[in-house]
């Protein structure tokens, strides 16, 4: 089991290198930059009451940052625990609160994961939120994506694996005494780092380090894909109440970008016919101020597919690494 985990970890490297060597995606508009020096590994992104919410990756205490997009400044911090295991995600929970996902498990060693419903807003506070235990049905799994189904409030967890993510949903009513077993729904893109539902509740988007893929829900039929702007280590994606898509990355002073969807895909997730008169992505009449109103326009995403050869090359390299390691460990 230990050998399997080591080999799996090594196999991830070529795939990440392949993604890094692929051509850069389209440019998105910088809505703002995180100015808080404590936000160094933003992992997960949500929009709540017009504010942006994020959490640091594993290694931080349990705290949630609330950021005003007009300035990029942190306007509130909620501290909810001193010793989380591996916080990786945040998602809107309704009202002025978010679900925080302590769901990471790089070593595949956790017997369970946890989610907490944490209050947020324009103030610093300490909270003792309701916390729930979730378990994967087939043993430990690493995950970085936590989504909330509009209407029902049901939680969806997406694993992070190189051979395709597993999408799972939690019980509609969580048992505070737990554990709450996740149920598989289907498969999605490999190496998923975050995700979010669109307001219609019938579509969701998942991202990896270079692209975002839109699926129907709950069928998980892929209906579109967009290349993402180049980022240091993109681990956040959010959709606001108007269906606009934002992405974030780890790193100090990391930008939050708004990424437009192609017109046909935008029409699908909005549940309307494509409207040629739509002005969402029209050229601005004046230079916009990042973050002001979040209604600023973006450079159109190039409607092109990322070349597939880097992924094939990465896959072959991964297989080569595995074969070489297995041969070296064979008894002589």
């Amino acid at each position: 089991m230990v050998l399997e985990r080591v080999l799996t970890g090594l196999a991830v490297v070529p795939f990440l290198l392949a993604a890094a060597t692929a051509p850069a995606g389209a440019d998105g508009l910088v809505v703002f930059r995180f100015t808080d020096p404590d936000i160094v590994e933003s992992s997960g992104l949500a929009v709540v009451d017009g504010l942006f919410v994020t959490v640091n990756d594993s290694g931080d205490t349990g705290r949630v940052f609330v950021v005003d997009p007009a300035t990029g400044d942190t306007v509130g911090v909620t501290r909810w625990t001193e010793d989380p295991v591996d916080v990786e995600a945040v998602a809107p929970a309704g009202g002025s609160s978010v679900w925080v996902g302590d769901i990471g498990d790089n070593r595949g060693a956790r017997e369970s994961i946890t989610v907490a419903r944490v209050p947020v807003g324009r103030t610093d506070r300490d909270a003792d939120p309701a916390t729930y235990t979730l378990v994967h049905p087939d043993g430990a799994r690493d995950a970085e994506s936590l989504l909330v189904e509009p209407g029902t409030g049901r939680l969806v967890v997406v694993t992070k694996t190189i051979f395709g993510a597993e999408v799972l949903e939690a019980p509609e009513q969580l048992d505070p005494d737990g554990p709450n077993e996740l149920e598989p729904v289907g498969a999605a893109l490999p190496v998923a780092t975050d995700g979010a539902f669109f307001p219609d509740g019938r579509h969701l988007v998942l991202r990896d380090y270079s692209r975002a893929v839109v699926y129907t829900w709950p069928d998980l039929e892929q209906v579109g894909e967009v290349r993402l702007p180049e980022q240091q280590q993109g681990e956040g994606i959010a959709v606001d109440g108007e269906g606009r898509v934002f992405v974030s990355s780890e790193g100090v002073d990391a930008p939050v970008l708004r990424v437009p969807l192609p017109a046909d895909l935008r029409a699908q997730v909005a549940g309307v016919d494509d409207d040629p008169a739509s002005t969402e992505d029209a050229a601005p009449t004046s230079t916009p101020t990042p973050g002001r109103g979040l209604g600023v326009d973006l450079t159109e995403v190039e409607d092109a597919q990322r070349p597939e050869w880097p992924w094939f090359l990465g896959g072959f390299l991964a297989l080569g690494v595995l074969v070489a390691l297995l041969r070296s460990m064979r008894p002589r």
Side-chain angles (χ1 to χ4, degrees):
M1 186 66 177
V2 173
L3 175 60
E4 178 184 352
R5 290 172 185 161
V6 171
L7 296 180
T8 299
L10 290 172
V12 172
V13 175
F15 282 89
L16 296 180
L17 291 176
T21 57
D27 292 331
L29 180 72
V30 177
V31 179
F32 66 90
R33 290 180 178 273
F34 293 120
T35 63
D36 191 335
D38 286 341
I39 302 177
V40 294
E41 294 188 355
S42 174
S43 180
L45 189 70
V47 182
V48 177
D49 297 333
L51 302 171
F52 283 76
V53 181
T54 191
V55 290
N56 277 325
D57 207 337
S58 58
D60 197 6
T61 59
R63 53 180 174 168
V64 184
F65 299 89
V66 180
V67 179
D68 188 337
T71 61
D73 296 341
T74 297
V75 294
V77 177
T78 303
R79 296 173 176 82
W80 58 279
T81 184
E82 288 297 323
D83 55 353
V85 178
D86 189 355
V87 172
E88 293 284 357
V90 63
S96 298
S97 60
V98 294
W99 286 105
V100 177
D102 188 346
I103 58 177
D105 190 9
N106 291 325
R107 295 180 298 172
R110 298 180 66 174
E111 294 183 359
S112 63
I113 56 179
T114 61
V115 292
R117 187 167 184 165
V118 178
V120 294
R122 290 179 176 270
T123 184
D124 291 349
R125 70 183 87 183
D126 294 323
D128 184 19
T131 302
Y132 302 88
T133 300
L134 309 178
V135 294
H136 289 280
D138 299 317
R141 295 288 187 276
D142 186 31
E144 293 190 2
S145 306
L146 179 68
L147 299 78
V148 179
E149 182 181 27
T152 67
R154 194 168 192 170
L155 298 180
V156 175
V157 175
V158 183
T159 63
K160 182 184 181 184
T161 60
I162 62 173
F163 298 114
E166 185 175 25
V167 181
L168 309 103
E169 59 183 4
E172 191 165 349
Q173 296 294 328
L174 294 176
D175 181 354
D177 298 322
N180 296 274
E181 184 168 322
L182 297 167
E183 296 184 2
V185 177
L189 80 168
V191 197
T193 61
D194 200 14
F197 271 94
F198 285 91
D200 70 348
R202 296 185 292 109
H203 295 86
L204 59 84
V205 60
L206 297 173
R207 70 161 297 170
D208 59 18
Y209 293 113
S210 61
R211 59 180 177 149
V213 180
V214 177
Y215 298 89
T216 60
W217 178 259
D219 299 331
L220 293 176
E221 175 186 353
Q222 182 174 331
V223 296
E225 175 180 325
V226 294
R227 295 165 56 188
L228 293 177
E230 183 177 355
Q231 296 178 288
Q232 178 175 322
Q233 186 168 333
E235 295 194 355
I237 191 166
V239 178
D240 70 3
E242 297 183 23
R244 295 173 295 194
V245 178
F246 303 88
V247 295
S248 61
S249 170
E250 292 189 359
V252 178
D253 297 324
V256 170
L257 309 169
R258 183 178 161 207
V259 178
L261 301 179
D264 57 343
L265 183 54
R266 188 172 66 248
Q268 287 192 60
V269 299
V272 298
D273 294 332
D274 186 14
D275 181 5
S278 173
T279 59
E280 178 179 346
D281 295 324
T285 56
S286 61
T287 303
T289 300
R292 297 293 180 184
L294 303 183
V296 287
D297 298 297
L298 303 179
T299 304
E300 191 72 50
V301 171
E302 180 183 356
D303 188 14
Q305 298 295 322
R306 184 176 298 279
E308 299 293 337
W309 68 264
W311 295 99
F312 286 112
L313 177 60
F316 283 121
L317 288 173
L319 290 176
V321 171
L322 292 176
V323 170
L325 286 172
L326 289 173
R327 287 182 175 176
S328 67
M329 295 178 182
R330 184 182 301 168
R332 299 183 182 277

